[in-house]
Amino acid sequence: MNTLKAKVKQIDSLDNLTIVKFDYKGTTLSMMSLGLKDINLQSEVILSINASHIAIAKDLKGDISLSNVFNCVIKKLDKGELLSSLKLQINDDYLTSIITTNSVNRMNLKVNDKVQALVKASEISIKKVIS
């Protein structure tokens, strides 16, 4: 499981739906949650993202509906028969993405390629509230 430390900067709620925006080292991240409680503005949190929920784009242009886009560099690429694991560097942090080997080959992904990691707001969760 991937984790990132971030700070809550905005909370919008309607009925049982909450959208939280976080500051992660100057990048705004969004999370959508049902029934979220015990979270406050300026709280520091550890966010969690499953490796299989991180999509990869190369030379992304135009608008997309995904709220969370990280510019990163592939630092390690382990190609399996069906699935591949990519170690991505974002700032001083690392995320792991698992995508199909077919996608790695089709996109011609290699170590040191600059790519974008894409995550839907519904795929980020709060693992722990620090303060």
Side-chain angles (χ1 to χ4, degrees), residues 9-126:
K9 69 181 213 175
Q10 184 177 334
I11 303 171
D12 295 313
S13 295
L14 179 63
D15 298 325
N16 203 29
L17 176 65
T18 302
I19 296 177
V20 183
K21 293 192 179 192
F22 303 92
D23 176 51
Y24 163 70
K25 298 183 179 181
T27 298
T28 298
L29 302 178
S30 295
M31 179 190 84
M32 178 175 53
S33 180
L34 297 172
L36 184 65
K37 296 178 183 174
D38 302 326
I39 191 79
N40 300 304
L41 287 174
Q42 300 302 313
S43 291
E44 288 191 336
V45 298
I46 301 295
L47 300 175
S48 177
I49 308 168
N50 190 310
S52 63
H53 294 159
I54 300 175
I56 302 298
K58 189 173 179 182
D59 302 321
L60 181 67
K61 293 178 178 63
D63 292 329
I64 58 171
S65 65
L66 280 80
S67 302
N68 303 298
V69 179
F70 301 94
N71 291 313
C72 48
V73 175
I74 299 173
K75 292 312 233 179
K76 185 175 180 186
L77 176 59
D78 292 321
K79 287 173 71 171
E81 192 172 328
L82 296 176
L83 296 176
S84 293
S85 175
L86 290 78
K87 183 176 182 180
L88 308 168
Q89 183 174 8
I90 305 166
N91 300 314
D92 295 331
D93 295 314
Y94 293 89
L95 295 178
T96 298
S97 173
I98 297 173
I99 62 174
T100 64
T101 298
N102 182 52
S103 292
V104 170
N105 293 337
R106 179 177 43 79
M107 296 170 69
N108 193 29
L109 296 176
K110 299 179 287 305
V111 171
N112 293 321
D113 278 356
K114 293 181 181 179
V115 296
Q116 294 79 37
L118 311 167
V119 182
K120 290 175 63 173
S122 59
E123 302 300 342
I124 291 182
S125 60
I126 296 173

